[in-house]
Amino acid sequence: MSDAPASARDVVLGRIRDAHRLAPPPDLPYEAIARDYRRTRSASTDELVELLVDRLVDYKARVRRTTPDELVATLAAALRDQGVQSVAVPAGLDAGWLDGSGVAVRRDRPADGAGLTVAELDHLDGVVTACAVAVAETGTIVLDASPDQGRRLLTLVPDYHLCVVRADQIVPDVPQALALLDPVRPTTMISGPSATSDIELNRVEGVHGPRTLEVVVVTSSSDSGM
C-alpha cells in the first residue's frame, strides 16, 4: 500500500463508496424512479405579484407598480428620480415607452451593424428592457435576448437597469419558468442588483453588472385592485 497521503478527491469518493455500502441505492431502472415530487405550483396573479415584489425588495431591487395606462409616466418618473439622462434600449423595445421621458435614447441594432460598443454603453446612464418571464419564488427576472430585451451586453455594462415585467409573465417557480423558455436561446437570470461578498461577508454591489435594478410591475386594474 502506498504511504502517500490521500487527496481530497480520494477522501470524497471513499466516503461516497462507504455511504453506498451502508445504504445501497435501490436497484431500479431509470424509468421506474418515482417522480411524484412537486413540479408545478398554482397561485393567483395577486399572490404572484406580491411574492415577486417581496423577493425583489429583499434583494435590494427597487420596485414600482403601475397599470398599462400609466406605464409611460411610471417609466419617466423612474428615470427622472434616478437622474438618468441617457439610456440604451434594445432594437425591439416599444418606442412609445419612453415618449416624453426627456432622456436621450440610444437604440442597439447589432443586426443592422449599428450595435452599441462597450465604451458607448459605459457612457450611458442606464438601460431599459422588457423581460421574458419572472419567477416569483426566487425574485428572478429572466431575459432571453428577444428583440425587446436585446443582447446580454446591454444589461451588463450600464450601471442602472430598468426592467418592465407584466403580471402575466410572472410564474411561481423556476421549473415553470424553464418550461416557457427556449433552451437554445441565450438566457440571463437576474436576481437583484449585481453583488458579491468579500471574505468578511461585506456586500459589494456593481461587480458584474448594474448596481441598481429597478423593476416596474405592470398589472391591470383588476389584478392590482387599483
Side-chain angles (χ1 to χ4, degrees):
M1 178 180 294
S2 171
D3 294 331
S7 67
R9 177 177 181 274
D10 293 336
V11 171
V12 170
L13 292 177
R15 288 175 178 172
I16 293 174
R17 283 191 292 270
D18 290 344
H20 278 204
R21 278 194 294 272
L22 292 172
D27 186 17
L28 293 173
Y30 180 81
E31 295 75 13
I33 297 175
R35 304 292 183 186
D36 53 356
Y37 43 79
R38 191 185 77 189
R39 296 189 181 195
T40 61
R41 171 185 169 188
S42 60
S44 69
T45 300
D46 283 347
E47 290 171 331
L48 292 176
V49 169
E50 292 300 325
L51 183 57
L52 175 67
V53 170
D54 177 80
R55 296 295 191 268
L56 287 168
V57 171
D58 192 46
Y59 278 133
K60 301 185 183 304
R62 299 176 187 171
V63 181
R64 295 176 189 247
R65 304 191 200 198
T66 191
T67 64
D69 291 341
E70 297 296 327
L71 176 59
V72 172
T74 302
L75 293 177
L79 294 170
R80 182 176 61 251
D81 292 348
Q82 178 67 16
V84 170
Q85 297 183 352
S86 59
V87 294
V89 299
L93 191 79
D94 188 332
W97 281 7
L98 299 180
D99 280 351
S101 65
V103 302
V105 177
R106 295 288 308 275
R107 197 166 288 270
D108 183 51
R109 292 192 175 92
D112 300 329
L116 298 172
T117 66
V118 172
E120 288 172 324
L121 289 169
D122 196 36
H123 283 86
L124 297 174
D125 296 327
V127 58
V128 181
T129 74
C131 80
V133 63
V135 184
E137 184 67 46
T138 61
T140 303
I141 307 300
V142 184
L143 312 181
D144 68 355
S146 291
D148 57 358
Q149 298 150 50
R151 299 181 292 164
R152 182 172 291 162
L153 184 67
L154 274 182
T155 53
L156 290 181
V157 178
D159 202 34
Y160 171 71
H161 182 190
L162 180 58
C163 184
V164 176
V165 178
R166 300 192 317 270
D168 63 3
Q169 293 178 303
I170 305 172
V171 297
D173 52 31
V174 173
Q176 286 166 280
L178 294 178
L180 298 175
L181 296 169
D182 184 341
V184 303
R185 296 185 66 84
T187 300
T188 302
M189 295 187 174
I190 303 168
S191 298
S194 169
T196 189
S197 296
D198 64 16
I199 195 170
E200 296 180 340
L201 301 181
N202 294 314
R203 180 181 170 95
V204 179
E205 296 181 346
V207 178
H208 310 106
R211 281 182 293 184
T212 303
L213 171 66
E214 184 155 7
V215 178
V216 174
V217 180
V218 184
T219 60
S220 67
S221 298
S222 58
D223 290 335
S224 62
M226 289 187 289

